Amino acid sequence: MTDVEPPILQHDKNRRKSIITLQRGKWRGRTFHADLSCCPDPVCQCSQVTLACSPAEIDDPGADEKVSVVLDFMDRVLVECSGGGKIDPARLAAEIEEEATAEDWLLLKSLFIDTKRKEMQKFDPAAARVQLPPDLLWNLSRMAAYVEFFPYEAPMEFSHGETQWMVNDQYCINPDCGCTDGVLLFVPYDAHIDKEHIPQHTPYPAVFFDAKKGQATSVAAAGTGSHSAMELADAFLKERPDCAGLIRRRRETLRTLIKHNLPPRKSPFKQQKKTGRNAPCPCGSGKKYKNCCGG
């Protein structure tokens, strides 16, 4: 298969409908309706899309006429399939996987991300349940990156010079800490960086950012490029006047999510107060302790 072949997947955004037209094999030239769905949880890090496929010539297909095809757009592979009735699900799923072009996989990714971002608009971080990384549980004093938990939300971007930059925002997530600090890491975008998996460490320039005041306070890392960290922070704030409020919202969302998913804290051991020898015995006998349980 080469990328010069036409894509098999088309999506009508207005009708929210997708169709698949196969180009080769047993179903060459045949069209299938494809109802697309994915995991609605914006915190889930999966990259799987489900296509409920049914023959286009059937106006109202029953459940036995549909084939469920689960594809992973990151690995570009078939995960599983089921259903079908008169249609062999394994055969149809294999045909779709084999004929899917790079353009098809990118369209699946785009539709997936659109769904995740819509779900993010109604996301309640206090009610969500996630498994926190072990290193975070052992060290609540470390910074946590927003993209670490919400990889598919729209990245914060801006232009400076001739470069497009992405911002990796990281926050203190210790529930006992009242600071409002965060770190903004400035990553130059190029073809080798996936916007949904922004690098989280140096050699990129970074600044400490006060979320409450909405301003950069000092340099966190100088980086190795030709632009200084404070220069990039000023450019970001100038191009994105909404960024201070956005950063506060993202910080609060992340801290709330982590706070409500930390394991219960064990109550500290309280040492029993020592009973005096002449005090009433705690057993309730009415005798002095030295003449009862303490004798």
Side-chain angles (χ1 to χ4, degrees):
M1 181 184 70
T2 63
D3 290 345
V4 297
E5 296 182 2
I8 62 172
L9 178 65
Q10 293 180 323
H11 181 73
D12 186 332
K13 286 188 176 181
N14 294 326
R15 299 177 59 197
R16 296 183 180 180
K17 296 288 185 180
S18 300
I19 61 170
I20 292 175
T21 304
L22 296 173
Q23 312 291 337
R24 305 192 305 270
K26 177 180 178 180
W27 290 294
R28 179 179 181 179
R30 191 169 178 185
T31 299
F32 295 84
H33 290 301
D35 295 328
L36 185 145
S37 63
C38 66
C39 168
D41 184 357
V43 184
C44 179
Q45 311 249 346
C46 77
S47 53
Q48 296 181 5
V49 176
T50 300
L51 300 174
C53 304
S54 59
E57 63 269 17
I58 302 177
D59 294 329
D60 187 20
D64 60 342
E65 297 287 348
K66 291 185 177 182
V67 172
S68 176
V69 179
V70 181
L71 302 169
D72 188 311
F73 64 79
M74 291 295 290
D75 294 332
R76 298 188 175 186
V77 295
L78 170 67
V79 178
E80 63 182 14
C81 61
S82 60
K86 299 177 182 179
I87 301 175
D88 182 354
R91 180 76 178 272
L92 177 60
E95 290 282 355
I96 292 173
E97 179 189 30
E98 180 182 349
E99 295 189 30
T101 65
E103 187 176 339
D104 292 317
W105 291 111
L106 289 175
L107 177 55
L108 286 175
K109 178 179 179 179
S110 175
L111 296 173
F112 173 94
I113 291 174
D114 284 346
T115 300
K116 290 284 188 179
R117 291 178 181 171
K118 288 176 183 176
E119 291 297 325
M120 192 67 200
Q121 295 173 8
K122 53 186 178 182
F123 177 69
D124 181 2
R129 292 294 169 261
V130 298
Q131 185 172 0
L132 299 177
D135 67 311
L136 184 147
L137 294 174
W138 282 103
N139 182 18
L140 285 176
S141 62
R142 82 162 174 88
M143 291 285 187
Y146 188 83
V147 72
E148 185 179 351
F149 292 88
F150 305 101
Y152 297 112
E153 192 171 0
M156 296 189 291
E157 301 174 291
F158 69 103
S159 298
H160 184 62
E162 299 181 353
T163 306
Q164 184 77 4
W165 298 81
M166 294 176 290
V167 181
N168 181 309
D169 47 329
Q170 306 176 19
Y171 305 101
C172 168
I173 43 78
N174 188 338
D176 295 327
C177 180
C179 79
T180 57
D181 289 340
V183 170
L184 303 183
L185 187 71
F186 301 109
V187 183
Y189 175 71
D190 59 42
H192 303 292
I193 294 178
D194 189 331
K195 290 188 178 184
E196 283 70 55
H197 297 84
I198 305 175
Q200 299 182 29
H201 306 290
T202 53
Y204 303 108
V207 296
F208 289 109
F209 189 88
D210 189 314
K212 185 176 182 179
K213 296 179 180 178
Q215 63 184 27
T217 56
S218 60
V219 174
T224 58
S226 59
H227 299 286
S228 72
M230 293 303 288
E231 173 191 350
L232 291 170
D234 290 341
F236 174 49
L237 291 168
K238 182 177 180 180
E239 184 174 319
R240 295 289 302 270
D242 64 324
C243 69
L246 180 59
I247 287 171
R248 281 193 290 269
R249 179 188 66 78
R250 288 162 72 105
R251 172 183 174 275
E252 184 61 27
T253 297
L254 181 58
R255 284 174 63 90
T256 301
L257 176 72
I258 292 175
K259 176 182 177 181
H260 287 272
N261 283 276
L262 288 172
R265 297 185 182 184
K266 294 182 179 180
S267 300
F269 174 75
K270 294 183 179 179
Q271 187 172 9
Q272 298 264 343
K273 185 178 179 181
K274 187 175 181 180
T275 305
R277 286 182 54 77
N278 291 315
C281 187
C283 75
S285 66
K287 298 179 181 180
K288 290 184 179 182
Y289 179 62
K290 66 180 180 180
N291 296 325
C292 191
C293 296

Short mmCIF file of all heavy atoms in Angstrom, two decimals, residues 188-231:
data_model
loop_
_atom_site.label_atom_id
_atom_site.label_comp_id
_atom_site.label_asym_id
_atom_site.label_seq_id
_atom_site.Cartn_x
_atom_site.Cartn_y
_atom_site.Cartn_z
N PRO A 188 9.88 24.79 20.90
CA PRO A 188 9.70 25.15 19.48
C PRO A 188 9.07 24.00 18.72
O PRO A 188 9.52 22.85 18.82
CB PRO A 188 11.13 25.44 19.01
CG PRO A 188 12.00 24.62 19.92
CD PRO A 188 11.29 24.59 21.25
N TYR A 189 8.02 24.30 17.95
CA TYR A 189 7.34 23.23 17.23
C TYR A 189 8.07 22.94 15.93
O TYR A 189 8.42 23.83 15.17
CB TYR A 189 5.90 23.62 16.92
CG TYR A 189 5.19 22.58 16.07
CD1 TYR A 189 4.83 21.35 16.60
CD2 TYR A 189 4.93 22.82 14.73
CE1 TYR A 189 4.21 20.40 15.84
CE2 TYR A 189 4.31 21.86 13.95
CZ TYR A 189 3.95 20.66 14.50
OH TYR A 189 3.35 19.70 13.72
N ASP A 190 8.29 21.66 15.67
CA ASP A 190 8.79 21.23 14.37
C ASP A 190 8.15 19.90 14.03
O ASP A 190 7.33 19.37 14.77
CB ASP A 190 10.33 21.14 14.34
CG ASP A 190 10.87 20.15 15.38
OD1 ASP A 190 10.28 19.07 15.53
OD2 ASP A 190 11.89 20.46 16.03
N ALA A 191 8.50 19.37 12.90
CA ALA A 191 7.84 18.16 12.40
C ALA A 191 8.10 16.95 13.27
O ALA A 191 7.43 15.93 13.13
CB ALA A 191 8.31 17.88 10.97
N HIS A 192 9.07 17.03 14.17
CA HIS A 192 9.42 15.87 15.00
C HIS A 192 8.70 15.87 16.34
O HIS A 192 8.87 14.96 17.13
CB HIS A 192 10.94 15.84 15.22
CG HIS A 192 11.73 15.82 13.96
ND1 HIS A 192 11.74 14.75 13.10
CD2 HIS A 192 12.51 16.78 13.39
CE1 HIS A 192 12.52 15.02 12.05
NE2 HIS A 192 12.99 16.23 12.21
N ILE A 193 7.90 16.90 16.60
CA ILE A 193 7.21 17.00 17.88
C ILE A 193 5.71 16.85 17.68
O ILE A 193 5.11 17.55 16.88
CB ILE A 193 7.52 18.33 18.58
CG1 ILE A 193 9.00 18.39 18.96
CG2 ILE A 193 6.66 18.52 19.82
CD1 ILE A 193 9.42 19.69 19.61
N ASP A 194 5.11 15.92 18.39
CA ASP A 194 3.67 15.71 18.35
C ASP A 194 3.02 16.68 19.34
O ASP A 194 3.38 16.73 20.51
CB ASP A 194 3.35 14.26 18.75
CG ASP A 194 1.88 13.91 18.53
OD1 ASP A 194 1.03 14.82 18.60
OD2 ASP A 194 1.60 12.72 18.30
N LYS A 195 2.04 17.45 18.86
CA LYS A 195 1.41 18.45 19.72
C LYS A 195 0.69 17.81 20.90
O LYS A 195 0.41 18.48 21.88
CB LYS A 195 0.42 19.30 18.91
CG LYS A 195 1.08 20.25 17.93
CD LYS A 195 0.07 21.19 17.30
CE LYS A 195 0.74 22.16 16.35
NZ LYS A 195 -0.21 23.14 15.80
N GLU A 196 0.34 16.54 20.81
CA GLU A 196 -0.35 15.87 21.92
C GLU A 196 0.64 15.24 22.89
O GLU A 196 0.24 14.69 23.90
CB GLU A 196 -1.30 14.80 21.38
CG GLU A 196 -2.59 15.36 20.80
CD GLU A 196 -2.40 16.10 19.52
OE1 GLU A 196 -1.83 15.49 18.59
OE2 GLU A 196 -2.78 17.27 19.41
N HIS A 197 1.94 15.30 22.57
CA HIS A 197 2.94 14.72 23.47
C HIS A 197 4.12 15.68 23.55
O HIS A 197 5.23 15.39 23.09
CB HIS A 197 3.38 13.33 22.97
CG HIS A 197 2.26 12.34 22.95
ND1 HIS A 197 1.36 12.25 21.91
CD2 HIS A 197 1.85 11.44 23.88
CE1 HIS A 197 0.46 11.30 22.19
NE2 HIS A 197 0.74 10.81 23.37
N ILE A 198 3.87 16.84 24.15
CA ILE A 198 4.86 17.89 24.23
C ILE A 198 5.98 17.49 25.20
O ILE A 198 5.71 17.03 26.30
CB ILE A 198 4.22 19.21 24.72
CG1 ILE A 198 3.03 19.57 23.81
CG2 ILE A 198 5.23 20.33 24.73
CD1 ILE A 198 2.26 20.78 24.29
N PRO A 199 7.24 17.65 24.81
CA PRO A 199 8.34 17.34 25.74
C PRO A 199 8.21 18.12 27.04
O PRO A 199 7.71 19.25 27.06
CB PRO A 199 9.59 17.77 24.95
CG PRO A 199 9.17 17.69 23.51
CD PRO A 199 7.72 18.07 23.49
N GLN A 200 8.68 17.53 28.14
CA GLN A 200 8.46 18.11 29.45
C GLN A 200 9.74 18.58 30.15
O GLN A 200 9.69 19.05 31.28
CB GLN A 200 7.74 17.10 30.35
CG GLN A 200 6.38 16.70 29.82
CD GLN A 200 5.68 15.73 30.75
OE1 GLN A 200 5.89 15.73 31.94
NE2 GLN A 200 4.83 14.88 30.19
N HIS A 201 10.86 18.49 29.48
CA HIS A 201 12.10 18.81 30.19
C HIS A 201 13.00 19.71 29.35
O HIS A 201 12.71 20.03 28.21
CB HIS A 201 12.83 17.52 30.57
CG HIS A 201 11.97 16.56 31.34
ND1 HIS A 201 11.58 16.80 32.65
CD2 HIS A 201 11.38 15.39 30.99
CE1 HIS A 201 10.81 15.82 33.07
NE2 HIS A 201 10.67 14.95 32.08
N THR A 202 14.10 20.16 29.96
CA THR A 202 15.10 20.96 29.26
C THR A 202 15.64 20.12 28.11
O THR A 202 15.40 18.91 28.08
CB THR A 202 16.21 21.34 30.24
OG1 THR A 202 16.68 20.16 30.85
CG2 THR A 202 15.69 22.29 31.29
N PRO A 203 16.32 20.71 27.09
CA PRO A 203 17.04 21.99 27.09
C PRO A 203 16.20 23.20 26.68
O PRO A 203 16.75 24.20 26.22
CB PRO A 203 18.14 21.74 26.06
CG PRO A 203 17.48 20.86 25.04
CD PRO A 203 16.56 19.96 25.84
N TYR A 204 14.90 23.14 26.84
CA TYR A 204 14.06 24.25 26.43
C TYR A 204 14.01 25.34 27.51
O TYR A 204 14.07 25.05 28.70
CB TYR A 204 12.65 23.74 26.14
CG TYR A 204 12.63 22.65 25.10
CD1 TYR A 204 12.37 21.33 25.46
CD2 TYR A 204 12.91 22.92 23.77
CE1 TYR A 204 12.37 20.32 24.51
CE2 TYR A 204 12.92 21.92 22.81
CZ TYR A 204 12.64 20.62 23.19
OH TYR A 204 12.66 19.63 22.26
N PRO A 205 13.89 26.60 27.09
CA PRO A 205 13.80 27.69 28.07
C PRO A 205 12.49 27.62 28.85
O PRO A 205 11.46 27.19 28.33
CB PRO A 205 13.88 28.95 27.21
CG PRO A 205 13.45 28.51 25.84
CD PRO A 205 13.89 27.09 25.70
N ALA A 206 12.54 28.06 30.12
CA ALA A 206 11.35 27.98 30.98
C ALA A 206 11.37 29.11 31.99
O ALA A 206 12.43 29.62 32.35
CB ALA A 206 11.30 26.63 31.69
N VAL A 207 10.18 29.50 32.44
CA VAL A 207 10.06 30.54 33.47
C VAL A 207 9.15 30.06 34.58
O VAL A 207 8.29 29.19 34.37
CB VAL A 207 9.47 31.86 32.89
CG1 VAL A 207 10.40 32.47 31.87
CG2 VAL A 207 8.07 31.64 32.31
N PHE A 208 9.36 30.61 35.78
CA PHE A 208 8.40 30.45 36.85
C PHE A 208 7.27 31.45 36.60
O PHE A 208 7.53 32.60 36.23
CB PHE A 208 9.04 30.69 38.21
CG PHE A 208 10.00 29.61 38.62
CD1 PHE A 208 11.37 29.85 38.64
CD2 PHE A 208 9.53 28.36 38.99
CE1 PHE A 208 12.25 28.85 39.02
CE2 PHE A 208 10.41 27.36 39.37
CZ PHE A 208 11.76 27.60 39.38
N PHE A 209 6.04 31.00 36.81
CA PHE A 209 4.88 31.84 36.51
C PHE A 209 3.94 31.84 37.70
O PHE A 209 3.57 30.78 38.21
CB PHE A 209 4.16 31.29 35.27
CG PHE A 209 3.08 32.19 34.73
CD1 PHE A 209 3.39 33.16 33.79
CD2 PHE A 209 1.77 32.06 35.15
CE1 PHE A 209 2.41 33.99 33.29
CE2 PHE A 209 0.78 32.89 34.65
CZ PHE A 209 1.10 33.86 33.71
N ASP A 210 3.57 33.04 38.15
CA ASP A 210 2.62 33.17 39.25
C ASP A 210 1.21 33.18 38.67
O ASP A 210 0.81 34.15 38.02
CB ASP A 210 2.88 34.46 40.04
CG ASP A 210 2.07 34.53 41.33
OD1 ASP A 210 0.86 34.24 41.28
OD2 ASP A 210 2.64 34.87 42.38
N ALA A 211 0.47 32.10 38.90
CA ALA A 211 -0.85 31.96 38.30
C ALA A 211 -1.84 32.99 38.85
O ALA A 211 -2.76 33.43 38.16
CB ALA A 211 -1.39 30.55 38.52
N LYS A 212 -1.65 33.38 40.11
CA LYS A 212 -2.56 34.35 40.72
C LYS A 212 -2.34 35.75 40.15
O LYS A 212 -3.29 36.47 39.81
CB LYS A 212 -2.37 34.37 42.24
CG LYS A 212 -3.35 35.27 42.97
CD LYS A 212 -3.17 35.16 44.48
CE LYS A 212 -4.18 36.03 45.22
NZ LYS A 212 -4.02 35.93 46.70
N LYS A 213 -1.07 36.14 40.01
CA LYS A 213 -0.75 37.47 39.48
C LYS A 213 -0.77 37.51 37.96
O LYS A 213 -0.85 38.58 37.37
CB LYS A 213 0.62 37.91 39.99
CG LYS A 213 0.69 38.09 41.51
CD LYS A 213 2.09 38.49 41.94
CE LYS A 213 2.18 38.68 43.45
NZ LYS A 213 3.56 39.04 43.87
N GLY A 214 -0.66 36.33 37.33
CA GLY A 214 -0.67 36.28 35.87
C GLY A 214 0.59 36.84 35.25
O GLY A 214 0.52 37.50 34.22
N GLN A 215 1.74 36.54 35.85
CA GLN A 215 2.98 37.09 35.32
C GLN A 215 4.15 36.15 35.58
O GLN A 215 4.15 35.38 36.54
CB GLN A 215 3.28 38.46 35.92
CG GLN A 215 3.51 38.44 37.42
CD GLN A 215 3.70 39.83 38.01
OE1 GLN A 215 3.18 40.81 37.47
NE2 GLN A 215 4.42 39.92 39.12
N ALA A 216 5.14 36.23 34.67
CA ALA A 216 6.36 35.47 34.85
C ALA A 216 7.20 36.16 35.92
O ALA A 216 7.31 37.39 35.93
CB ALA A 216 7.12 35.39 33.54
N THR A 217 7.78 35.38 36.82
CA THR A 217 8.53 35.97 37.93
C THR A 217 10.03 35.82 37.81
O THR A 217 10.77 36.72 38.21
CB THR A 217 8.07 35.34 39.26
OG1 THR A 217 8.23 33.90 39.18
CG2 THR A 217 6.60 35.65 39.52
N SER A 218 10.50 34.71 37.26
CA SER A 218 11.94 34.51 37.12
C SER A 218 12.21 33.37 36.15
O SER A 218 11.30 32.64 35.74
CB SER A 218 12.58 34.20 38.48
OG SER A 218 12.02 33.02 39.04
N VAL A 219 13.48 33.22 35.79
CA VAL A 219 13.88 32.17 34.84
C VAL A 219 14.04 30.85 35.58
O VAL A 219 14.71 30.77 36.61
CB VAL A 219 15.21 32.56 34.15
CG1 VAL A 219 15.70 31.41 33.27
CG2 VAL A 219 15.03 33.83 33.32
N ALA A 220 13.39 29.81 35.04
CA ALA A 220 13.53 28.46 35.61
C ALA A 220 14.62 27.67 34.91
O ALA A 220 15.30 26.85 35.52
CB ALA A 220 12.20 27.72 35.53
N ALA A 221 14.76 27.90 33.60
CA ALA A 221 15.81 27.23 32.81
C ALA A 221 16.14 28.12 31.62
O ALA A 221 15.23 28.62 30.94
CB ALA A 221 15.35 25.86 32.34
N ALA A 222 17.42 28.34 31.37
CA ALA A 222 17.83 29.24 30.30
C ALA A 222 17.61 28.63 28.92
O ALA A 222 17.33 29.33 27.94
CB ALA A 222 19.29 29.62 30.48
N GLY A 223 17.72 27.30 28.83
CA GLY A 223 17.59 26.65 27.53
C GLY A 223 18.84 26.84 26.69
O GLY A 223 19.81 27.46 27.12
N THR A 224 18.81 26.29 25.48
CA THR A 224 20.00 26.33 24.63
C THR A 224 19.78 27.11 23.34
O THR A 224 20.69 27.22 22.53
CB THR A 224 20.42 24.89 24.26
OG1 THR A 224 19.33 24.23 23.60
CG2 THR A 224 20.82 24.10 25.49
N GLY A 225 18.58 27.67 23.13
CA GLY A 225 18.30 28.38 21.89
C GLY A 225 18.75 29.83 21.93
O GLY A 225 19.40 30.30 22.88
N SER A 226 18.38 30.57 20.88
CA SER A 226 18.79 31.96 20.76
C SER A 226 17.83 32.91 21.46
O SER A 226 18.12 34.11 21.58
CB SER A 226 18.90 32.33 19.27
OG SER A 226 17.65 32.13 18.61
N HIS A 227 16.67 32.42 21.90
CA HIS A 227 15.69 33.26 22.57
C HIS A 227 15.73 33.02 24.08
O HIS A 227 15.78 31.87 24.54
CB HIS A 227 14.28 32.97 22.05
CG HIS A 227 14.11 33.23 20.59
ND1 HIS A 227 14.04 34.50 20.06
CD2 HIS A 227 14.02 32.38 19.53
CE1 HIS A 227 13.89 34.43 18.75
NE2 HIS A 227 13.89 33.15 18.40
N SER A 228 15.72 34.11 24.86
CA SER A 228 15.74 33.96 26.31
C SER A 228 14.36 33.56 26.82
O SER A 228 13.34 33.78 26.16
CB SER A 228 16.17 35.27 26.97
OG SER A 228 15.12 36.25 26.88
N ALA A 229 14.34 32.98 28.01
CA ALA A 229 13.08 32.52 28.59
C ALA A 229 12.12 33.68 28.84
O ALA A 229 10.93 33.59 28.54
CB ALA A 229 13.37 31.76 29.90
N MET A 230 12.61 34.79 29.40
CA MET A 230 11.75 35.94 29.69
C MET A 230 11.27 36.59 28.40
O MET A 230 10.14 37.09 28.34
CB MET A 230 12.50 36.94 30.56
CG MET A 230 12.80 36.44 31.97
SD MET A 230 11.33 35.91 32.91
CE MET A 230 10.55 37.50 33.25
N GLU A 231 12.09 36.58 27.37
CA GLU A 231 11.67 37.11 26.07
C GLU A 231 10.49 36.32 25.53
O GLU A 231 9.51 36.89 25.03
CB GLU A 231 12.86 37.04 25.10
CG GLU A 231 12.52 37.42 23.65
CD GLU A 231 13.65 37.07 22.70
OE1 GLU A 231 14.76 36.72 23.17
OE2 GLU A 231 13.42 37.14 21.48
#
